[in-house]
Amino acid sequence: MLIAIKCPKCDTENSFSLVDSSYQGPYRCWKCRELFTIRIENNELKSCEPLTQEEFDRQQEIEALRAKFKQQ
Ligand SMILES: [Zn+2]
């Protein structure tokens, strides 16, 4: 499933591939490289909030930890 996301900063159309019908997490515009936190419910974009680099790094760390625990 591909979701079209219009970047709030540069207005570029991005397509985001969705595994489930909902998603919440970091997302980066391919063009302006701006970071956002997006929330998708039932294949619909519900929110798109600017995300700082620090916050993004923190989320990546949490994801990495989660992946680690899954392997065990
Ligand atoms: Zn952009």
Side-chain angles (χ1 to χ4, degrees), residues 37-53:
T37 298
I38 57 169
R39 188 163 63 87
I40 295 165
E41 276 169 28
N42 299 317
N43 301 320
E44 224 178 276
L45 185 66
K46 296 287 181 186
S47 76
C48 189
E49 303 282 329
L51 180 68
T52 61
Q53 184 67 50

Side-chain angles (χ1 to χ4, degrees), residues 16-48:
F16 182 81
S17 65
L18 207 58
V19 182
D20 299 311
S21 62
S22 58
Y23 170 84
Q24 183 163 11
Y27 157 78
R28 191 196 292 265
C29 174
W30 64 270
K31 199 169 188 188
C32 68
R33 312 297 290 163
E34 190 74 4
L35 286 162
F36 300 96
T37 298
I38 57 169
R39 188 163 63 87
I40 295 165
E41 276 169 28
N42 299 317
N43 301 320
E44 224 178 276
L45 185 66
K46 296 287 181 186
S47 76
C48 189

Side-chain angles (χ1 to χ4, degrees), residues 4 6-7 14 19 24 26 28 31-32 36-37 39-40 43 45 54 57-59 61 65 67-69 72:
K6 198 175 202 177
C7 175
N14 289 257
V19 182
Q24 183 163 11
R28 191 196 292 265
K31 199 169 188 188
C32 68
F36 300 96
T37 298
R39 188 163 63 87
I40 295 165
N43 301 320
L45 185 66
E54 293 85 63
D57 289 343
R58 205 172 58 85
Q59 288 192 16
E61 267 170 41
L65 272 178
K68 210 173 170 183
F69 278 122
Q72 287 170 352

